[in-house]
Each structure stands twice: as structure tokens, then as C-alpha cells.
Amino acid sequence: MSTDTDTDTDTGTGSGTGTATDDTGTRTRTGAPRRRRRGAERRPRFAIAVTALFFALLYLPVGVVVLFSFNSQKSLTVLDGVSLRWYEALLHDEVLLDSLGMSLRVSLVAMAGSLVLGVALALGLVRSRSRLGSFAGLIMLVPLITPEIVTGVAAMLLFKGLGITLSTTTVMLAEITFSISYVTVILRSRIAALNPEVEEAAMDLGATRGQALRLVTLPALLPSIFASAVLIFALVFDDFVLAYFTTGVDPQPLSVRIYSAIRFGVQPTINAVGTLMLVGSIGLIVLALAIPRLFGRKGGLDLLSGK
């Protein structure tokens, strides 16, 4: 007897499907209805419309601020010509310039202080294998989920209770305390991914523990450290709630000064300040995306992970 193993490749059906046989002669159903394929290939128009509406509502107010910062008139509703009048007025506004300088100083000090303490804390939490280390790691997440207004009020009450006058120093201390958690969370994942045998090999070759940390571990953490620095600078520079509760009378951070000025009416100079802050924020984002490439890494969107 002989077995027929001829392959009948296709049998047409009204639904647009067919059957095919494999090497064993078993017929299998192949293909899907053409209508279903065409429906799957169509673009999700509703999702695109919702996305476009979201970005329009998100960036339209920002675009209005940028547009009216170049208005030649004082009006905030009618655009009458293009001019750099309000940017020139900003350069001669000593109050806003003093606030801008204070915000820059606070951001730089908070960035440096939180980096030093955050790196040390992240190393201690990763290297510690006790239950106390695990508990401390959980405690570090509390500031990230606590409402900032609670942190601001608590910091103000602490300074008042200790008899410390609110000033630039209190703002710096509060911002450093608030920023340590961000640095620690970012660096912990990177430190945990490092191979401890590399540091042990350096100590076997004669390096002390401090030298191994300085020459081996810290260079490996540089991308994450720089990414954390950019993030902290941006967060502190734009922060309002914590600065509002811990600042003194004068000078005030730029965000607090803008809020105080808006209460008496929006001035076109505020639009110029907002535009410059927007440009600075975009510059920080570009810098954060370029940092991994400077270290030979392909990914540029790993700011929070620090990879």
C-alpha cells in the first residue's frame, strides 16, 4: 500500500482564509480575514486625537507666555509687534536679578550637598546587610511620597523651634534634606549593579579601601552622579513650596518672588523670566540626555535609572 502525501496547498473559501500542509501532510489553517488585517493596520485616530489635545492643553499656556514675552506693548491680551523690551527691563530689575542669583546659589549648594550625602548614604545602604540598613532604605522613600507642603511646614516649624531665623541658609538646608532621597534612590540601583569583585581585586593589588572607592567605584558611578546633579539642580531651581515656607524676607528665591509679584498683577517682565526659565530647563534636559553619550553609552533616557 502507498500513502498519498501530496500537498494540496490551498483551498479557497469565501472568508478569505486558506489551508496549507506541512511536511507531515497535516493541513493547517493559515491567514486571517483580510478585513481584520486591514483594521489592525489602520492608525488609531482616536488615540492620536486625544494625544494631540493633551499636548495642546499642556503647552499652549507655555507658548502664550513665550509669545507675549516678545510683545512690544504692556498688554497681556493683545500682541502688538515684536520687541525685546521686557528682556531689557529684566536686566535692569535689581529685585528679580537678586532673586535669580539666590535661586542659582541655592540650587548649586543643594546639588553639591545632596550629592555628597546621597552618594555616601547609597553606598552604606547597599553595602550594609543588616536589618537596620533595609529599614533605612525604606525610610528614604518616605520624602518621595510625602506631600511637599507637609515637608515645608515641618521644616519651618523645626527652624522656628530651634530659634533659627529664616534666611538663605534655611532654604539651602531644607533643599539639601529634601534632595538626598532622590540622589540615594538613583544611585542605589547603579551601585547594586556593580561587581564587588572589581573593588576587591583593586585591594588585592595593594589599594586601600578608600583608594578602591575613589579609583574604581566612583568613576563607575560618574554617569549616575552627573545625572543626579542635573535632576537636583532642576528640581531645586523650580521649587516653590519648600522655598516659600523656609525663606526669609529678602532676598527671596525666584519662584517665591514671581508669586509675590503676580499677586499685585502680572507684569510682562514675568513672561520674560518664565521664558528664560523654560530655556534653562530645556538646556538641562539636553545636558541630561547628552551625559550618557559622553561616557560612551547609547541610551539617553535613563536619567532616573542612572544606567
Side-chain angles (χ1 to χ4, degrees), residues 47-68:
I48 295 177
V50 171
T51 304
L53 179 62
F54 168 77
F55 282 106
L57 294 176
L58 182 64
Y59 291 107
L60 183 60
V62 179
V64 172
V65 170
V66 175
L67 181 63
F68 278 90

Side-chain angles (χ1 to χ4, degrees), residues 108-124 176 179-180 183-184 187 191 213 218 221 225 228-229 232:
L108 291 174
V109 173
M111 179 184 66
S114 61
L115 282 178
V116 173
L117 298 176
V119 170
L121 184 57
L123 287 170
I176 290 175
S179 303
I180 292 175
V183 179
T184 305
L187 291 178
I191 296 174
L213 177 64
L218 290 181
L221 296 177
I225 292 176
S228 301
I232 296 304

Side-chain angles (χ1 to χ4, degrees), residues 255-267 270:
S255 57
V256 180
R257 179 65 65 183
I258 292 176
Y259 172 76
S260 301
I262 288 178
R263 290 188 301 173
F264 301 99
V266 179
Q267 299 295 326
I270 303 300

Side-chain angles (χ1 to χ4, degrees), residues 232-243:
I232 296 304
F233 185 90
L235 289 176
V236 174
F237 186 81
D238 294 336
D239 182 69
F240 168 76
V241 177
L242 194 60

Side-chain angles (χ1 to χ4, degrees), residues 133-157:
S134 301
F135 179 74
L138 295 176
I139 293 297
M140 290 305 304
L141 299 177
V142 174
L144 301 180
I145 60 177
T146 303
E148 191 175 358
I149 189 172
V150 176
T151 306
V153 173
M156 180 187 66
L157 294 178

